Amino acid sequence: MEHKKKDFNEWYNEVIEESKLVDKRYPVKGMNVWLPYGWAIARNVDNVIRNLMFSTSHEEVYFPLLIPKDQFAKEEEHIRGFGSEVFWVDKGGDTPLDIPLALRPTSETAMYPLFSLWIRTHADLPLKIFQIVNVFRYETKQTRTFLRVREIHFFEAHTCHESFEDAEKQIKEDMEIWEKFCEKMALPYILNVRPEWDKFAGAFYSIAADTIMPSGRPLQIGTMHQYKQNFAKAYNIMFTREDGTREYAYQTTFGISERIIGAIVGIHGDDRGLILPPEIAPYQIVIVPIVSDEKENVMNEAKTLFEELSRSFRVKMDDRENYTPGYKFYDWELRGVPLRIEIGPKDIKNNVITVSRRDTLKRSLISRENCSEELAKILSDIQKNLREIAWKNMQKLIKDASSLDEIKENENVNRVYWCGSAECANRIEEYTGKRILGIPLIAEKSKGKCVVCGKETDNVCYIGRSY
Amino acid sequence: MEHKKKDFNEWYNEVIEESKLVDKRYPVKGMNVWLPYGWAIARNVDNVIRNLMFSTSHEEVYFPLLIPKDQFAKEEEHIRGFGSEVFWVDKGGDTPLDIPLALRPTSETAMYPLFSLWIRTHADLPLKIFQIVNVFRYETKQTRTFLRVREIHFFEAHTCHESFEDAEKQIKEDMEIWEKFCEKMALPYILNVRPEWDKFAGAFYSIAADTIMPSGRPLQIGTMHQYKQNFAKAYNIMFTREDGTREYAYQTTFGISERIIGAIVGIHGDDRGLILPPEIAPYQIVIVPIVSDEKENVMNEAKTLFEELSRSFRVKMDDRENYTPGYKFYDWELRGVPLRIEIGPKDIKNNVITVSRRDTLKRSLISRENCSEELAKILSDIQKNLREIAWKNMQKLIKDASSLDEIKENENVNRVYWCGSAECANRIEEYTGKRILGIPLIAEKSKGKCVVCGKETDNVCYIGRSY
């Protein structure tokens, strides 16, 4: 495998192919086949967010894929933002359709006409729903597995509220959910308020969660949008207050795409392959029986152990006959299983199991008695360790910069002072070829000089060559 | 609600609307919005089949939605069978696509070009995969929720084997899986070998699982197809045998659509609404605290009970403030929750809980101590009871018939002797307006005279006006 540090892009493609997450040979550009291992990771990620949503009183729904053109075009900025990247269905069999149907690029325009039927009075609010679906974008840029594809595995939450303040509270709740979610992905992030010109099409403001890939390039892995009443006005989502007055609902959305899996691959992996956080690994533990002799005894012990551990963990027994233990170690390291257990005659005799951690590659003996408890501790330590390393590494990829040339010349994300004006932003983006990620939500209060105009400001912003 | 017996179709539509399974007001014909309760049922059904597939060494994958036209058209019969009901994507943004893309009506033509890359030698076989996706058919007939829609929630398994015998064994395994699956749905069925002219487009033979709705009309709820080498030849899926010779793979598929949910609604429900089998009910138990007095004490006891039961069951606590217990009983009966528990001051004093079964509507007191065990027994009895009633009712909807007029004049499924010839079949279908479902797989050996030509035969077949 390519060295991750030497050529991150090559390494990224290779690790995805060799660990069998997707097959890229499907004959439509930007549409990959999810192989069992990759799909199992995606489903585990889905279940993490699903459970977090259920625990905050969101309900899961499924809206149709196809959206009639007239309905799709109702919110002006939205259609301007998405129109050029929509796949259109024009025919059923040989029959031209009366109205072309869009493959959802996101579901505002599918959902909101129904919201206008569901919501009558304040008693119907808040409305908090989400769905996990695939969305479609006719991407003309170069595609890249998980990071830029045309069929995107997608989580989207949509809420309606009585007031702007309630909608703001929802965004706060989303941030809390997001923090818990990222803990389980072991991923670091910065929350940036996107500049005006880079908001979601139709939003009042957009907050993006950006992480930084080892290449030094930022990657948007989550978004929270405050719509205010923009869509409610276009789709006539109104409610009656207790005092009898009518008002448009206040709306928010919260989205996560399969980019999260690209981030997990890119940020945690090493030259041996994937390293999966235990919370989302398809197998948290793999058992490799060492059967040079005492085969029957070892296999029986391995089976007993497998059954015992399966009660608490996702476990794989690798009892393949025609492969050496060495090959199996290599294979499961490549596929990023957090813990490997070897069990052989000597282990059995000594009443121990041999345990190897994928993150530190350290091997140790632990007592066979009540090993579940000890293994749970190690897994939780791996989860914590991956997260800490990832946060530290992200910090290293952020450089303070005080001139445009400095920004232009490095491969990292830069932290600069920016007065906030569109003129200076334009100059930064044009001169450096990088993008302003916005103002970090957690204000970093200190003063400095705008990197373009030199005006004193306390606006800090992040800049990078985003994926 | 309409009486189920008086007008089944009306009742069916009403129960779906009132129990909030889907919203039919989405502005594309045959595409409904799955509401939280309906989607929760669908996800439980998905998980039943998913776990059965995992336990028989199938792996889950996800193939792209869009299929290039040239690839779609490779198997002649298949394109002839599906061509007229495919939705076509012709444009990305304003750009016409080089090759139109089909929305998958089923995934043979998406998967098999990849299978031809995956399969090299006998060591790669058997290949056993499945996916749970939505498929799309441009349906021109009248649509009906779950039974005939244009976006269909769908399970499809695809396998490849070394020999016809191995593929036949796979079909046997599918039937065993199917039996277990239907046990959990509490649904009865007949396995019919479809006549030649009614096979899946491209199949060597098709076995369909038909159930019978209370209207007397048969409903296909599952299919197993033997493809032999038909698709392997069109898509060049070849493997090398141990002796070095090359051969085309033998293939099968196994499919279940959202019609299964239509069958659950239609077959189990009654005039009060849905009756859900405990195995797939979103809530198996609902707790209704009776808080006329001792409110705090009752609420505390109800909460303790809720937490205790949540360890073993899917439980809903209905602590809505502005609704009477009577309304809540009505509501959860409508939505088909298998068990309702009432808990009030008197129950607490007597150390009991009041339990009502949705299937029999019987109410009883059970001891509060270790009630989990007793509730598990009752739920398992409800599951069994629903299944037995459904099987009995299906038998009642099958009538032996010995003349074409007899077949024509009743609303049921008919069991008749048929010599097996296409001529007689044609005559039956034309004269009666009903369809031959095929020869039951479990042969019913006795002799009789063909209902058309009078020739002696031991072919029994089922005939009905299918959905």
Side-chain angles (χ1 to χ4, degrees):
Chain A
M1 193 171 303
E2 283 293 322
H3 288 307
K4 186 178 178 184
K5 282 203 176 145
K6 221 178 83 193
D7 187 341
F8 176 75
N9 289 341
E10 254 317 283
W11 171 89
Y12 179 81
N13 289 335
E14 266 189 62
V15 75
I16 287 169
E17 187 179 335
E18 293 189 13
S19 62
K20 297 185 186 134
L21 300 186
V22 302
D23 192 320
K24 293 202 292 186
R25 292 173 293 176
Y26 191 79
V28 180
K29 177 186 160 169
M31 297 192 178
N32 298 327
V33 177
W34 291 79
L35 298 173
Y37 200 64
W39 192 239
I41 296 172
R43 296 207 343 104
N44 287 344
V45 171
D46 289 348
N47 281 331
V48 168
I49 188 66
R50 180 176 277 129
N51 290 332
L52 287 168
M53 297 308 279
F54 285 152
S55 73
T56 47
S57 305
H58 291 79
E59 294 191 293
E60 187 172 358
V61 296
Y62 178 86
F63 273 76
L65 167 70
L66 300 175
I67 307 169
K69 189 168 188 174
D70 52 347
Q71 182 170 323
F72 183 74
K74 271 190 183 165
E75 209 287 335
E76 270 180 49
E77 283 182 36
H78 191 71
I79 178 77
R80 221 179 298 137
F82 281 101
S84 68
E85 47 182 58
V86 168
F87 284 102
W88 289 105
V89 176
D90 282 343
K91 271 196 295 191
D94 292 325
T95 315
L97 302 179
D98 293 339
I99 298 176
L101 302 170
L103 268 62
R104 69 166 93 81
T106 167
S107 299
E108 281 75 5
T109 62
M111 291 179 171
Y112 297 173
L114 272 283
F115 284 12
S116 85
L117 301 173
W118 294 351
I119 293 169
R120 306 262 163 198
T121 77
H122 63 94
D124 299 318
L125 298 174
L127 176 71
K128 296 167 71 170
I129 61 147
F130 73 95
Q131 65 180 16
I132 297 174
V133 297
N134 285 5
V135 296
F136 295 81
R137 303 208 180 149
Y138 179 67
E139 190 59 68
T140 49
K141 293 186 200 160
Q142 199 199 336
T143 55
R144 198 188 294 261
T145 310
F146 304 135
L147 305 184
R148 188 173 292 279
V149 289
R150 286 176 161 190
E151 176 167 7
I152 309 164
H153 192 59
F154 192 55
F155 155 87
E156 51 179 330
H158 295 253
T159 68
C160 298
H161 306 271
E162 281 187 61
S163 66
F164 182 69
E165 291 66 40
D166 283 0
E168 288 289 280
K169 274 185 208 148
Q170 183 58 51
I171 302 265
K172 287 227 165 60
E173 183 177 85
D174 294 343
M175 286 192 246
E176 285 164 27
I177 294 168
W178 175 255
E179 188 182 343
K180 287 180 191 160
F181 175 74
C182 281
E183 247 180 71
K184 290 183 191 279
M185 307 300 126
L187 288 178
Y189 60 90
I190 312 161
L191 293 177
N192 287 306
V193 183
R194 286 277 185 262
E196 275 301 303
W197 55 89
D198 202 21
K199 292 184 314 188
F200 179 82
F204 174 60
Y205 69 74
S206 292
I207 296 172
D210 296 304
T211 194
I212 307 177
M213 291 289 254
S215 58
R217 294 176 62 181
L219 179 72
Q220 174 179 304
I221 51 174
T223 48
M224 296 145 215
H225 306 293
Q226 166 67 264
Y227 290 166
K228 236 174 162 178
Q229 296 173 312
N230 295 355
F231 282 92
K233 284 176 182 166
Y235 289 90
N236 200 33
I237 307 172
M238 294 195 86
F239 67 99
T240 308
R241 291 200 179 282
E242 259 177 295
D243 66 10
T245 56
R246 298 276 291 163
E247 187 170 8
Y248 290 107
Y250 294 81
Q251 296 184 273
T252 79
T253 59
F254 174 23
I256 307 172
S257 82
E258 64 178 80
R259 286 186 153 196
I260 205 81
I261 296 177
I264 290 168
V265 169
I267 287 174
H268 299 309
D270 66 13
D271 287 347
R272 298 190 186 208
L274 295 178
I275 302 180
L276 296 175
E279 292 277 1
I280 54 100
Y283 307 119
Q284 298 169 308
I285 299 173
V286 58
I287 299 173
V288 180
I290 311 293
V291 290
S292 50
D293 45 44
E294 297 184 36
K295 186 170 171 182
E296 202 183 314
N297 183 27
V298 170
M299 287 310 298
N300 283 340
E301 286 293 328
K303 242 176 246 171
T304 309
L305 182 65
F306 173 77
E307 274 153 32
E308 192 179 317
L309 298 184
S310 294
R311 271 175 244 139
S312 318
F313 309 103
R314 298 187 289 272
V315 192
K316 172 77 182 175
M317 162 79 97
D318 189 351
D319 53 6
R320 288 178 286 178
E321 292 265 342
N322 298 319
Y323 295 88
T324 62
Y327 175 84
K328 292 178 181 179
F329 296 174
Y330 164 87
D331 197 29
W332 295 113
E333 280 176 1
L334 170 62
R335 307 189 88 189
V337 176
L339 269 186
R340 180 181 79 226
I341 294 175
E342 295 154 52
I343 182 162
K346 209 173 135 198
D347 299 300
I348 296 168
K349 204 178 107 200
N350 296 331
N351 204 25
V352 296
I353 53 178
T354 305
V355 174
S356 302
R357 284 173 66 140
R358 178 64 182 88
D359 58 338
T360 58
L361 298 170
K362 276 189 191 136
R363 230 163 149 220
S364 60
L365 296 176
I366 70 170
S367 165
R368 172 69 183 81
E369 306 267 309
N370 305 317
C371 61
S372 277
E373 221 173 285
E374 185 59 26
L375 292 171
K377 268 189 218 156
I378 301 176
L379 284 170
S380 133
D381 195 64
I382 294 174
Q383 181 77 30
K384 192 164 150 265
N385 184 44
L386 286 177
R387 187 164 169 262
E388 282 172 6
I389 292 173
W391 274 97
K392 269 185 212 152
N393 284 340
M394 186 176 81
Q395 295 309 330
K396 286 186 211 154
L397 293 166
I398 301 172
K399 304 264 187 249
D400 285 322
S402 54
S403 78
L404 292 181
D405 284 320
E406 229 181 298
I407 300 170
K408 191 177 179 178
E409 274 154 27
N410 72 69
E411 288 297 306
N412 298 299
V413 166
N414 290 116
R415 187 177 163 282
V416 305
Y417 286 97
W418 162 51
C419 67
S421 76
E423 292 78 8
C424 291
N426 258 337
R427 174 89 179 117
I428 295 173
E429 298 197 340
E430 270 169 30
Y431 188 83
T432 67
K434 294 183 176 179
R435 210 176 114 218
I436 293 187
L437 301 179
I439 308 287
L441 194 75
I442 297 148
E444 306 178 11
K445 283 288 169 205
S446 61
K447 283 203 182 296
K449 289 191 159 90
C450 172
V451 71
V452 182
C453 68
K455 204 158 79 184
E456 185 136 300
T457 176
D458 54 10
N459 258 356
V460 161
C461 81
Y462 289 96
I463 297 175
R465 201 184 312 280
S466 44
Y467 277 97
Chain B
M1 193 171 306
E2 283 292 322
H3 289 306
K4 186 176 178 185
K5 283 203 175 141
K6 221 179 82 192
D7 188 340
F8 175 75
N9 288 341
E10 254 317 285
W11 171 89
Y12 179 82
N13 288 336
E14 264 190 62
V15 75
I16 286 169
E17 188 179 332
E18 292 189 15
S19 62
K20 297 186 188 134
L21 301 186
V22 303
D23 192 318
K24 292 203 291 186
R25 293 172 292 176
Y26 191 78
V28 180
K29 177 185 161 172
M31 296 191 180
N32 298 328
V33 177
W34 291 79
L35 298 173
Y37 200 63
W39 192 239
I41 296 172
R43 296 206 345 105
N44 287 343
V45 170
D46 290 348
N47 281 331
V48 169
I49 188 66
R50 179 174 277 131
N51 290 330
L52 287 168
M53 297 309 277
F54 285 152
S55 73
T56 47
S57 305
H58 290 79
E59 295 191 293
E60 186 170 359
V61 295
Y62 178 85
F63 272 76
L65 167 70
L66 300 175
I67 307 170
K69 191 169 188 175
D70 51 347
Q71 182 170 322
F72 183 73
K74 273 192 183 164
E75 211 286 336
E76 272 180 45
E77 283 182 37
H78 191 71
I79 178 76
R80 221 179 297 137
F82 280 101
S84 68
E85 48 181 57
V86 168
F87 283 102
W88 290 104
V89 176
D90 282 343
K91 271 196 296 191
D94 292 325
T95 316
L97 301 180
D98 294 340
I99 299 175
L101 301 170
L103 268 63
R104 66 167 96 80
T106 168
S107 300
E108 282 74 5
T109 62
M111 290 180 172
Y112 297 174
L114 271 285
F115 284 12
S116 84
L117 300 173
W118 294 351
I119 293 168
R120 306 262 162 196
T121 77
H122 63 94
D124 299 318
L125 298 173
L127 175 72
K128 297 167 72 170
I129 61 148
F130 72 96
Q131 66 180 14
I132 298 174
V133 297
N134 285 3
V135 297
F136 296 82
R137 304 209 179 147
Y138 180 67
E139 190 60 68
T140 49
K141 293 186 201 162
Q142 199 199 337
T143 56
R144 199 189 293 262
T145 309
F146 304 134
L147 306 183
R148 189 173 291 279
V149 289
R150 286 177 162 189
E151 176 167 7
I152 310 165
H153 192 59
F154 192 55
F155 155 86
E156 51 180 330
H158 295 255
T159 67
C160 298
H161 306 271
E162 282 187 60
S163 66
F164 181 68
E165 292 66 41
D166 283 1
E168 288 289 280
K169 274 184 209 149
Q170 183 58 51
I171 302 263
K172 287 224 165 61
E173 183 177 85
D174 294 343
M175 286 191 242
E176 286 164 27
I177 293 169
W178 176 256
E179 189 183 342
K180 287 179 192 160
F181 175 75
C182 280
E183 247 181 72
K184 290 184 191 277
M185 307 300 125
L187 287 178
Y189 60 90
I190 312 162
L191 293 177
N192 287 306
V193 183
R194 287 275 184 264
E196 275 302 304
W197 55 88
D198 202 21
K199 292 186 311 191
F200 179 82
F204 173 62
Y205 70 72
S206 292
I207 296 171
D210 296 305
T211 192
I212 307 177
M213 290 289 256
S215 58
R217 295 177 61 180
L219 178 72
Q220 173 180 303
I221 50 174
T223 49
M224 295 145 218
H225 305 294
Q226 166 66 265
Y227 290 167
K228 239 177 162 176
Q229 296 172 311
N230 295 355
F231 283 92
K233 284 175 182 165
Y235 289 90
N236 200 33
I237 307 172
M238 296 196 85
F239 67 99
T240 308
R241 290 198 181 284
E242 257 177 295
D243 66 9
T245 56
R246 298 275 293 163
E247 188 172 6
Y248 290 107
Y250 294 81
Q251 296 184 273
T252 80
T253 59
F254 173 24
I256 307 171
S257 82
E258 64 178 81
R259 285 185 154 195
I260 205 83
I261 296 176
I264 290 168
V265 169
I267 287 174
H268 300 308
D270 65 13
D271 286 347
R272 298 191 187 208
L274 294 179
I275 303 180
L276 296 176
E279 292 277 0
I280 54 102
Y283 307 119
Q284 298 169 309
I285 299 172
V286 58
I287 300 173
V288 180
I290 311 293
V291 290
S292 51
D293 45 44
E294 295 183 38
K295 185 169 170 183
E296 200 182 314
N297 183 27
V298 170
M299 286 311 298
N300 283 340
E301 287 292 328
K303 241 175 245 173
T304 308
L305 182 65
F306 174 77
E307 274 153 32
E308 192 179 317
L309 297 184
S310 294
R311 271 175 244 138
S312 317
F313 309 103
R314 297 186 290 271
V315 192
K316 173 77 183 175
M317 161 80 98
D318 189 351
D319 53 6
R320 287 179 286 177
E321 293 263 343
N322 298 319
Y323 295 86
T324 63
Y327 175 84
K328 291 178 182 180
F329 297 173
Y330 164 86
D331 197 29
W332 295 112
E333 281 175 2
L334 169 61
R335 307 190 87 189
V337 176
L339 269 185
R340 182 182 76 227
I341 295 175
E342 295 153 52
I343 181 162
K346 208 172 137 199
D347 299 298
I348 294 168
K349 203 178 110 203
N350 297 331
N351 204 24
V352 295
I353 53 178
T354 305
V355 174
S356 302
R357 285 174 64 140
R358 179 63 182 90
D359 58 338
T360 59
L361 298 171
K362 275 185 190 139
R363 226 161 152 224
S364 61
L365 295 175
I366 70 170
S367 165
R368 172 68 182 80
E369 304 269 308
N370 305 318
C371 61
S372 278
E373 221 172 290
E374 185 60 25
L375 293 171
K377 270 189 217 154
I378 302 176
L379 284 170
S380 135
D381 195 65
I382 293 174
Q383 182 77 28
K384 191 164 150 267
N385 184 44
L386 287 177
R387 188 163 169 261
E388 282 172 7
I389 292 173
W391 274 96
K392 269 186 211 150
N393 285 340
M394 186 177 80
Q395 295 309 330
K396 286 186 212 155
L397 294 166
I398 301 171
K399 304 264 187 249
D400 285 322
S402 52
S403 77
L404 291 181
D405 284 320
E406 229 180 295
I407 299 171
K408 191 177 177 176
E409 276 156 26
N410 72 70
E411 287 297 306
N412 298 301
V413 166
N414 291 114
R415 188 177 161 282
V416 304
Y417 286 95
W418 162 52
C419 68
S421 76
E423 292 78 8
C424 292
N426 258 337
R427 175 89 179 115
I428 295 173
E429 297 196 340
E430 271 171 28
Y431 189 84
T432 67
K434 294 184 178 180
R435 210 176 116 218
I436 294 189
L437 302 178
I439 308 288
L441 194 74
I442 297 150
E444 307 180 10
K445 283 289 166 202
S446 62
K447 283 202 183 297
K449 289 191 159 91
C450 173
V451 71
V452 182
C453 68
K455 205 158 78 183
E456 185 139 300
T457 176
D458 54 10
N459 259 355
V460 162
C461 81
Y462 289 97
I463 297 174
R465 201 183 311 281
S466 44
Y467 277 98

